[in-house]
Amino acid sequence: MANATDHLWMHFTRMASYSAGEVPTIVRGEGAYVWDAQGRRYLDGLAGLFVVNAGHGRTELAEAAAKQAGELAYFPLWSYAHPKAIELAEKVASLAPGDLNRVFFTTGGSEAVEAAWKLARAYFKRTGQPNKYKVVSRYIAYHGTSMGALSITGLPGIKSDFEPLVPGGIKVPNTNFYRAPEHGDDPEAFGRWAADEIGRAIEREGPDTVAAVFLEPVQNSGGCFPPPPGYFERVREICDAYDVLLVSDEVICSWGRLGEYFGAVRYGYQPDIITTAKGITSGYAPLGAMIASERLMEPFLTETGMFAHGVTFGGHPVSCAVALANLEVFAREDLIGHVRANEGAFRSTLEKLNDLPIVGDVRGDGYFYGIELVKDKATRETFDEAESERLLRGFLSSALFQAGLYCRADDRGDPVVQLAPPLIAEQEQFDEIEQILRAVLTEAWARL
């Protein structure tokens, strides 16, 4: 629409790039596809933004929202409750691993991460360790845009405009085995090294100052870094040894993205806190949550105890109703089982692209993959900043969209194409993704 740039300030968008052209405007969705204002169809290869897990056009989710809005459109969770928040908290607790039974609702992922850091700080203050406030997280990892979450984020390019940030953020190496600085021929040894880097960082800072370690099960930013064998087992040992909380940031990795309700279950580790959002409602309403262990709730159960934190729309009745309906869809259609049954086919279909000279690495798990692009497969030489700009924003982003595939071409780290289709996707969609990528990446190589 021609007037889209007159008043709408789009997120993470170079607004000047639309000064001479129209903003792509999506008006409808059905299943794994969306349509623009001109009627063109696109395969949604990113589930919106790792969000629309149950697929587009679910009328039962829209009906659940309408029904709840007609009964109780809004009431806060500040000293009060409403039925849908109670029911959803019970459901989430029943699905979360271990004793993660305490559910604090937010409206999205950044707020959930913010709440988790605040809880870690408050918990240690109330248990006699007031100096434990710092957070360890990984290079290139994205954990959100609010000031606390941004301090945990490991992407310098999106932080510089807003510095100084909240003090206490500590960065350690991520688990990109393709570019492992140590043990590049041994995933298990690399995983041990990467986990031990967390321990070394805690030692450098002083264990009495570190409150938490924030890790995604599969790191999104940088292009889908799965954990090496034994990595999370070792991280859990380190956190226990230093009395540091392990926070599993599952804003993307929960609700079936990795073939389980939670990524921590996929990789067999027990966090102290899980942060989640996105797929909990499949995007039909905004909702997030911090899920905490019973241990972390205990200091706030005294007569005057209170976690002095909250957000106006956290646990919104309409959003909770949608989440419950969404989880009914998950159970009825066994979307978790669908991902587990088809993830191998998705991987093998994407791995066909390894015969292209521009494809260096195909990595991920479940329905969550990154394809790293290189100048030289043999040496793994990457593109410099100017080349990456021309490749990704100068060609790939628009070419893939024009070819009918919505996905992400990004260079937060090395240049990658990221894919996370709705969980209903099957071989037909996998083939379509591969065919479009093959054609566009072949053309991209020819243009280099």
Side-chain angles (χ1 to χ4, degrees):
M1 296 182 180
N3 61 350
T5 57
D6 294 345
H7 305 288
L8 179 62
W9 198 333
M10 290 173 286
H11 300 201
F12 282 110
T13 299
R14 298 180 180 182
M15 297 296 290
S17 64
Y18 294 112
S19 59
E22 289 192 6
V23 176
T25 304
I26 303 302
V27 299
R28 183 170 69 87
E30 183 68 33
Y33 297 89
V34 294
W35 284 259
D36 68 13
Q38 284 72 45
R40 292 188 291 259
R41 190 187 80 164
Y42 307 88
L43 174 55
D44 184 357
L46 207 62
L49 194 62
F50 317 101
V51 171
V52 191
N53 288 7
H56 298 275
R58 294 278 189 174
T59 56
E60 62 264 54
L61 302 190
E63 289 166 359
K67 182 174 184 292
Q68 181 59 44
E71 293 175 359
L72 179 67
Y74 174 75
F75 208 78
L77 294 179
W78 301 44
S79 301
Y80 299 88
H82 56 77
K84 293 304 181 185
I86 297 169
E87 186 180 352
L88 181 60
E90 182 180 18
K91 180 66 175 178
V92 170
S94 73
L95 295 171
D99 72 337
L100 299 187
N101 297 323
R102 303 293 185 159
V103 183
F104 184 97
F105 288 117
T106 66
T107 61
S110 292
E111 287 179 355
V113 169
E114 203 82 17
W117 194 2
K118 291 180 77 172
L119 176 59
R121 288 183 168 205
Y123 171 79
F124 283 117
K125 276 187 168 60
R126 287 170 177 264
T127 55
Q129 301 180 78
N131 294 325
K132 288 174 80 73
Y133 71 93
K134 298 175 185 176
V135 165
V136 177
S137 59
R138 298 183 290 204
Y139 291 125
I140 313 178
Y142 176 86
H143 292 283
T145 54
S146 56
M147 293 299 277
L150 193 59
S151 300
I152 300 172
T153 290
L155 293 162
I158 67 169
K159 297 197 291 186
S160 57
D161 277 351
F162 313 110
E163 293 174 325
L165 300 174
V166 179
I170 306 157
K171 303 299 177 288
V172 295
N174 57 48
T175 60
N176 182 0
F177 183 63
Y178 183 66
R179 298 199 175 279
E182 302 276 349
H183 308 291
D185 59 347
D186 186 341
E188 191 166 344
F190 170 66
R192 177 77 182 211
W193 171 84
D196 283 344
E197 283 295 297
I198 294 172
R200 284 187 274 271
I202 293 171
E203 284 283 358
R204 286 193 299 271
E205 296 294 324
D208 60 336
T209 71
V210 179
V213 174
F214 277 68
L215 303 173
E216 296 167 278
V218 173
Q219 181 175 316
N220 169 45
S221 190
C224 297
F225 304 146
Y231 175 78
F232 274 111
E233 181 181 3
R234 178 60 182 149
V235 171
R236 181 71 265 180
E237 291 174 354
I238 290 167
C239 289
D240 290 341
Y242 294 114
D243 193 17
V244 170
L245 304 181
L246 175 54
V247 182
S248 190
D249 184 356
E250 306 208 17
V251 171
I252 290 174
C253 291
S254 50
W255 312 115
R257 181 56 53 194
L258 298 175
E260 296 284 355
Y261 279 105
F262 293 98
V265 175
R266 168 80 188 233
Y267 299 117
Y269 64 95
Q270 180 61 50
D272 300 291
I273 299 174
I274 287 176
T275 55
T276 187
K278 293 185 184 289
I280 190 171
T281 65
S282 286
Y284 286 72
L287 187 67
M290 172 188 69
I291 314 167
S293 69
E294 292 287 355
R295 166 197 171 196
L296 299 181
M297 183 67 161
E298 286 175 5
F300 303 96
L301 294 176
T302 63
E303 187 174 344
T304 58
M306 177 181 66
F307 181 41
H309 177 57
V311 289
T312 299
F313 294 112
H316 192 284
V318 173
S319 297
C320 289
V322 170
L324 286 164
N326 181 53
L327 293 178
E328 288 177 5
V329 170
F330 269 63
R332 184 175 68 247
E333 299 184 11
D334 189 20
L335 293 184
I336 302 294
H338 182 79
V339 172
R340 287 199 297 264
N342 289 280
E343 65 176 342
F346 188 34
R347 175 188 290 273
S348 62
T349 302
L350 293 178
E351 285 178 342
K352 293 179 182 179
L353 297 168
N354 277 320
D355 66 350
L356 298 180
I358 198 172
V359 172
D361 193 30
V362 177
R363 56 183 178 251
D365 275 325
Y367 276 26
F368 189 30
Y369 274 83
I371 300 171
E372 183 169 335
L373 309 179
V374 294
K375 287 173 67 173
D376 189 308
K377 288 173 78 82
T379 64
R380 303 185 181 183
E381 180 184 2
T382 191
F383 298 91
D384 63 31
E385 187 174 346
E387 291 168 334
S388 184
E389 175 74 17
R390 290 195 302 272
L391 173 66
L392 297 179
R393 279 164 287 278
F395 176 69
L396 274 182
S397 292
S398 59
L400 287 167
F401 191 67
Q402 290 166 12
L405 176 62
Y406 166 71
C407 59
R408 170 184 276 178
D410 195 16
D411 61 351
R412 292 185 291 183
D414 296 297
V416 295
V417 174
Q418 282 188 281
L419 299 156
L423 308 188
I424 59 171
E426 298 182 328
Q427 190 62 51
E428 178 184 355
Q429 286 75 44
F430 305 157
D431 289 339
E432 188 175 349
I433 288 170
E434 190 271 339
Q435 289 159 12
I436 292 173
L437 284 171
R438 178 171 295 279
V440 174
L441 292 176
T442 298
E443 184 177 351
W445 182 256
R447 287 167 170 258
L448 292 176

